[in-house]
Amino acid sequence: MYAIVEMAGQQFKVAKDQKVYVHRLQTEEGKKVTFDKVFLLDDNGNVTVGAPVIDGAAVEAKVVKHLRGDKVIVFHKKRRKGYRKKNGHRQSLTEIVVESIVAKGAKKAAPAKAKAAAPKKEAAPKAAPTPNKAPAKAKADDLKKIEGIGPKIASTLADAGITTFAALAKATPEKISEIIAEVRGNHVTDTWPQQAQMAADGKWDELKKWQDELDGGKA
């Protein structure tokens, strides 16, 4: 029996007891994790296809360890300009082992329910107080000006509370990689905090010159 399932933004063909390396998960080592986006099940030739997913089906796995993948060497060269640059990247990964494939009856994680508001006691009418102005929120910056960040990543960072260049500059490349782990693609975050700091300081000319030498955030 095998299944086609989405894990951390990628689709895998998995079977019981199979080891799989996926983009870094937030789950701690030794804990179990359930993936309920199952697109296809094959039970000894009996194939079930979802529309787009199979209701009630799930793949249950256990987090073995967190690790980093093999180094990938990136080499840039410009002809007749004496330009050569060599860089390496190691992707943050999580090793999991598939413990079971559930065809029906899997329970999906229920969304957190809002706490019921306590009944308010009726109070005597008071004179309307002078309204105070709410403190102004920090204006969001256009994070897409950072080399390597597109609309999807900018939206994901905003959902995590990173909406300004200053906030992005304070984050580490490892933390950024964890936040955008489910965004498809191979993203190199090594230079994003430095780029964000230059943007926050208003050093646009220096940033533009540096970005001309970058390729998707790779130095």
Side-chain angles (χ1 to χ4, degrees):
M1 181 176 187
Y2 71 84
I4 305 295
V5 59
E6 181 175 309
M7 299 177 174
Q10 295 178 301
Q11 292 184 16
F12 295 89
K13 178 183 177 181
V14 298
K16 186 180 179 182
D17 300 327
Q18 178 181 345
K19 286 186 177 181
V20 184
Y21 294 90
V22 301
H23 289 312
R24 180 66 60 87
L25 301 176
Q26 301 294 331
T27 309
E28 298 179 2
E29 294 182 3
K31 297 291 184 66
K32 293 187 178 182
V33 61
T34 301
F35 303 96
D36 54 23
K37 290 186 178 180
V38 180
F39 301 105
L40 181 144
L41 281 174
D42 186 325
D43 188 4
N44 297 324
N46 185 14
V47 179
T48 304
V49 180
V53 298
I54 301 174
D55 188 29
V59 173
E60 298 175 345
K62 180 180 180 181
V63 175
V64 179
K65 61 181 177 180
H66 299 297
L67 68 159
R68 300 184 71 187
D70 296 334
K71 179 176 285 188
V72 178
I73 301 299
V74 182
F75 184 75
H76 296 274
K77 177 182 177 181
K78 295 182 181 179
R79 291 194 307 163
R80 297 188 294 273
K81 293 186 178 181
Y83 178 88
R84 294 186 179 188
K85 182 163 288 190
K86 183 179 179 181
N87 193 18
H89 170 71
R90 298 183 66 189
Q91 182 68 33
S92 297
L93 302 172
T94 297
E95 179 184 342
I96 63 175
V97 60
V98 177
E99 294 190 332
S100 63
I101 298 175
V102 182
K104 293 181 181 180
K107 295 182 179 180
K108 295 187 177 181
K113 295 183 179 180
K115 293 183 179 179
K120 296 182 179 179
K121 295 182 179 179
E122 295 183 2
K126 296 182 180 180
T130 304
N132 296 324
K133 291 185 178 180
K137 294 184 179 179
K139 184 179 179 182
D141 294 319
D142 186 3
L143 299 182
K144 297 190 298 295
K145 293 183 179 180
I146 302 301
E147 179 72 16
I149 295 182
K152 179 62 176 178
I153 294 179
S155 174
T156 303
L157 291 173
D159 293 340
I162 300 177
T163 59
T164 64
F165 295 130
L168 181 60
K170 293 179 181 179
T172 63
E174 292 76 15
K175 182 62 177 178
I176 298 172
S177 296
E178 290 183 11
I179 295 174
I180 66 171
E182 295 192 4
V183 180
R184 293 178 183 272
N186 187 14
H187 309 289
V188 181
T189 63
D190 297 347
T191 64
W192 293 3
Q194 297 99 306
Q195 292 187 63
Q197 186 62 59
M198 295 176 71
D201 294 340
K203 299 179 180 179
W204 294 105
D205 292 337
E206 296 179 28
L207 177 58
K208 183 63 171 65
K209 183 178 179 181
W210 188 27
Q211 288 179 337
D212 290 340
E213 300 177 358
L214 298 177
D215 179 15
K218 303 172 186 175

